[in-house]
Amino acid sequence: MVFTPSPMLLKLLYTRGSLHNQPDGAGVAFSIKNRLDTVRLMKVEQVRLDDTVVPAANIRLDLGGGDIRPATDLGADGSLNLPVGQVLTFSLATPPLAAGMHRLRVQFSTDAFGELSVEVEDAIASQDGRVRIPRVEGDDYAAAAIQARQQFAEDFTGQKYKHLKQYSFDPHDLQGNCESFVGVAQVPVGLAGPLLVNGEHAQGEFLIPLATTEGTLVASYNRGMQALNLCGGVKCTVIGDAMQRAPVFVFDDARGARDFGRWVAESLPQIRPEAESTSRIAKLQYIDTYLSNKFAYLRFNFSTGDAAGQNMVGRATFAACSWILEHYPGAPIRHFYLESNFATDKKASQINVMRTRGKRVVAEATVKRDILQQRLRVTPEQLAYHGQVSNVGAFLSGANNNGAHSANGITALFIATGQDVANVSESSAGVLYSEVTPEGDLYLNITIPSLIVATYGGGTGLATQNECLRMLGCVGQGTVNKFAEIVAGVVLAGELSLGAAISSSDWVSSHEQYGRNR
């Protein structure tokens, strides 16, 4: 452990809204979550509620899963391991609190940080009488807990759910992926391809699993893949890799923010080891500073291995900012927020198009004139001219993609392989380019500037999702760039197929024939 958490960051350990009176007058409880780094809890001194001091003898610590122990068990004879993400619930043997705001101060010590004090305010909510979804403390993924929610859903809605309740995996595998689990949504998966990819990481033919309910989607991508294969496949290249977290620091005036930005740039050699102390994988590449009003926005850029890395870089940036808050010698920092909305998590943005978020990957191919005419019923000139016209439409509309439908293939692959589907908002950005070659063929190229993918972590290890990744040969260390290249190749196939369908006026007739489920 390198960094020392500042009081401002220590407040973030407390789980807002967790303060509550326990049933049957059994006391008061609240939760703290370890958002710093793996430590050992050595001692709990006391908790102060308003003006009442609750000693360790009247405190129990609940780690979940039935693991409850007196706070007095800590000390010289024992300590408690607290990994990152661990929630620790404090149960206090004290009279119930009245509804309204209350002051809390938790005093404890750890092996890494020494003595710490978390001081916050939280409220006891008044009872609103709302119906609540059943949950089971300890093991909320047990069969009894799941069946209770299924019965609750049927009773509440007056409906029976046969298919929702059918699944083939151990629900305990979902811990960290889905809360209040009740069943599964069965999304059809179709096969397209094989697609011939000539990448630096993905080389050869790949069967493509596409999870979708949109008619003609799989058929359209398959058509584009066949055309690309007949012309030697698609060349794919990862040209950038960066995942961001963007904190903001607030000053009294613009000059304070400007001086702070200069200091950060000069202090990067000291900041980098603080950030990287939290992970074996996350590596801080650089920090961009953007100034506006009296605010300094820092955009931390990391590489994150095979993980998408949003949580990883959040933790690393948290550590770096803790060091900054402790060591900045200049004007007072009035406020600090770990995320300023400048990383544009789960949102399309121009900065991600320009600066990269996730993987920046390019797919390109030269499609022969005779293949275009025989297979897709268009000429290179038709498609290239159509591209120019559609560029104007994309410009006028302010779209983040001048192509046809990147999001279709990306979303279908994301659902099939356990990606965070909300990342389609960033990943769907694209820059499509085409030209007629001197030989009269069509050169087609798409840059995906912010493709956020993973082959490790998140939903990639779940049952069917992992099977689809195995179908692509993208399980195991060092496979994320291979997966990124495959995704880009699939996107280009879709652009070619739909672009040709619109240019040849086959678009509506194909949907009428194959894509309408009346």
Side-chain angles (χ1 to χ4, degrees):
M1 174 54 57
V2 180
F3 72 93
T4 300
S6 69
M8 191 181 298
L9 290 184
L10 284 174
K11 289 180 182 290
L12 300 179
L13 295 177
Y14 181 79
T15 302
R16 293 285 180 182
S18 66
L19 183 65
H20 65 279
N21 291 319
Q22 300 193 84
D24 304 320
V28 175
F30 61 86
S31 297
I32 282 179
K33 183 176 182 179
N34 183 2
R35 297 178 172 91
L36 297 175
D37 205 342
T38 296
V39 297
R40 296 198 69 83
L41 180 63
M42 309 303 294
K43 188 176 183 181
V44 173
E45 298 283 351
Q46 64 180 26
V47 173
R48 180 182 289 272
L49 285 176
D50 297 325
D51 296 323
T52 300
V53 174
V54 183
N58 292 349
I59 301 173
R60 292 188 306 156
L61 305 175
D62 185 350
L63 285 85
D67 187 356
I68 303 173
R69 61 188 73 182
T72 50
D73 281 2
L74 303 176
D77 297 327
S79 60
L80 186 61
N81 187 52
L82 290 180
V84 172
Q86 175 68 56
V87 175
L88 186 62
T89 299
F90 286 67
S91 296
L92 315 178
T94 188
L97 296 174
M101 294 298 299
H102 297 275
R103 302 186 310 277
L104 290 88
R105 181 179 181 183
V106 187
Q107 293 178 256
F108 57 97
S109 60
T110 70
D111 60 340
F113 302 123
E115 295 184 359
L116 300 175
S117 178
V118 177
E119 299 184 52
V120 296
E121 286 187 336
D122 203 359
I124 292 284
S126 58
Q127 296 300 315
D128 54 15
R130 289 186 299 163
V131 175
R132 297 186 183 277
I133 297 170
R135 294 193 72 252
V136 175
E137 293 295 332
D139 187 359
D140 202 38
Y141 295 87
I146 297 166
Q147 290 166 9
R149 281 191 289 274
Q150 292 169 345
Q151 188 63 52
F152 167 80
E154 291 181 342
D155 293 343
F156 188 84
T157 62
Q159 302 289 326
K160 292 294 183 182
Y161 302 104
K162 174 184 176 182
H163 301 288
L164 181 69
K165 297 188 286 187
Q166 304 300 315
Y167 48 88
S168 59
F169 53 84
D170 184 353
H172 290 91
D173 294 340
L174 294 173
Q175 295 188 58
N177 291 106
C178 180
E179 300 78 39
S180 297
F181 174 70
V182 70
V184 297
Q186 300 180 70
V187 182
V189 177
L191 284 180
L195 172 65
L196 178 59
V197 180
N198 305 312
E200 293 179 308
H201 306 275
Q203 298 173 354
E205 291 187 319
F206 298 91
L207 272 179
I208 308 299
L210 298 173
T212 183
T213 58
E214 180 183 348
T216 75
L217 185 147
V218 177
S220 177
Y221 277 86
N222 192 61
R223 185 175 83 136
M225 293 174 195
Q226 290 176 348
L228 290 176
N229 289 346
L230 290 169
C231 301
V234 54
K235 183 177 182 180
C236 300
T237 310
V238 176
I239 60 174
D241 181 7
M243 179 51 65
Q244 295 79 26
R245 186 60 60 207
V248 60
F249 295 79
V250 182
F251 295 86
D252 288 328
D253 53 32
R255 192 171 300 168
R258 180 201 65 186
D259 295 344
F260 173 76
R262 292 173 176 172
W263 179 85
V264 167
E266 295 167 356
S267 303
L268 183 59
Q270 291 77 45
I271 295 171
R272 178 174 281 113
E274 301 293 331
E276 295 179 356
S277 70
T278 64
S279 170
R280 296 182 299 105
I281 306 299
K283 300 300 179 185
L284 178 60
Q285 301 177 36
Y286 56 93
I287 302 173
D288 289 326
T289 299
Y290 298 86
L291 304 177
S292 181
N293 307 97
K294 57 179 182 177
F295 310 132
Y297 297 87
L298 303 185
R299 199 167 187 259
F300 284 71
N301 295 266
F302 293 85
S303 60
T304 59
D306 290 310
Q310 289 101 321
N311 293 333
M312 186 189 301
V313 304
R315 181 179 165 201
T317 305
F318 193 87
C321 290
S322 183
W323 185 88
I324 290 171
L325 289 165
E326 288 290 323
H327 290 86
Y328 180 57
I333 298 171
R334 297 305 184 189
H335 297 284
F336 158 77
Y337 303 98
L338 181 61
E339 180 50 60
S340 64
N341 222 11
F342 200 72
T344 68
D345 218 350
K346 311 296 174 66
K347 294 174 286 292
S349 68
Q350 189 60 28
I351 192 169
N352 288 340
V353 171
M354 299 299 295
R355 300 288 287 159
T356 302
R357 180 169 170 84
K359 305 294 185 289
R360 192 178 195 92
V361 57
V362 178
E364 54 193 331
T366 298
V367 188
K368 298 296 184 182
R369 172 179 289 271
D370 60 335
I371 299 299
L372 272 179
Q373 291 180 314
Q374 294 167 13
R375 296 283 177 152
L376 302 179
R377 293 184 290 281
V378 292
T379 65
E381 290 79 8
Q382 280 179 285
L383 270 182
Y385 180 72
H386 180 197
Q388 293 182 49
V389 175
S390 65
N391 281 344
V392 176
F395 172 77
L396 289 175
S397 68
N400 71 339
N401 190 323
N402 68 324
H405 66 150
S406 291
N408 259 337
I410 292 173
T411 304
L413 262 173
F414 273 23
I415 294 172
T417 59
Q419 309 300 307
D420 186 338
V421 183
N423 286 331
V424 172
S425 57
E426 296 119 296
S427 301
S428 64
V431 183
L432 185 68
Y433 173 77
S434 64
E435 66 181 36
V436 179
T437 70
E439 295 76 23
D441 301 320
L442 179 74
Y443 171 77
L444 192 64
N445 176 311
I446 190 164
T447 296
I448 306 175
S450 46
L451 181 64
I452 303 175
V453 291
T455 54
Y456 177 81
T460 62
L462 297 181
T464 55
Q465 291 81 357
N466 191 256
E467 288 183 350
C468 288
L469 280 173
R470 284 196 280 119
M471 185 182 297
L472 296 167
C474 291
V475 172
Q477 188 174 0
T479 56
V480 71
N481 286 335
K482 177 181 181 181
F483 183 57
E485 289 181 345
I486 293 171
V487 174
V490 170
V491 167
L492 192 71
E495 294 300 303
L496 174 62
S497 180
L498 182 55
I502 297 173
S503 293
S504 65
S505 298
D506 284 339
W507 183 31
V508 173
S509 61
S510 296
H511 269 272
E512 285 295 316
Q513 183 176 358
Y514 301 110
R516 297 297 294 270
N517 186 3
R518 292 187 177 91

